[in-house]
Amino acid sequence: DVVIGKTMGPLATVLRPGDWITFTLDYANAGPAPAASVVITDLIPVPPLTTTGASTSTSNNYGGLLTPIGGSTFAWSAGTLAAGSRGRITISAQIDPNLVTGGRYTNTAEIATISQDHDPSNEEAPQGFDVCVPPDGASFIYTPPVPVVNQPVTFTGSVTKGAPVTYKW
């Protein structure tokens, strides 16, 4: 029974382009028998994240090595995990400083084995996060330029980068 869990930090209320984010993957063989040919993947979403300067670190209680799988952004072969084996992978990546559209993004880590797994429901660990791209050059104008009491006023807003924008008066 291979399992994976995922957490994210820092837990900023607003993530913006250029911020760094860290994902922590905790994996284990919680079953009673060895799990063979274990593969762990965390294909970070590009965009909004960029792999430029991204880094990883690993630790475990079984002394094994995680072998990177070429051609994938963050995939490892863990080989055979004995029962009770567990480890941690930490991935740090930057939100693309040139990102122009924010929104809600999901990053999912997965673990797989060729051995029979009694509970496949714990082989994926999604983590959602929001990125806000603040508008550049937000401004508004109003007409008439010198309103009087009870006269209707029209406001017109604009931005040079980032959309949609909502103004509240």
Side-chain angles (χ1 to χ4, degrees), residues 53-72:
S55 64
T56 63
S57 64
T58 64
S59 62
N60 61 58
N61 72 347
Y62 57 91
L65 296 176
L66 292 177
T67 305
I69 297 173
S72 296

Side-chain angles (χ1 to χ4, degrees), residues 78-105:
T80 298
L81 293 180
S85 296
R86 61 184 55 253
R88 174 172 282 178
I89 302 169
T90 304
I91 302 169
S92 294
Q94 186 178 32
I95 298 172
D96 188 341
N98 300 310
L99 189 68
V100 295
T101 304
R104 179 88 177 151
Y105 298 93

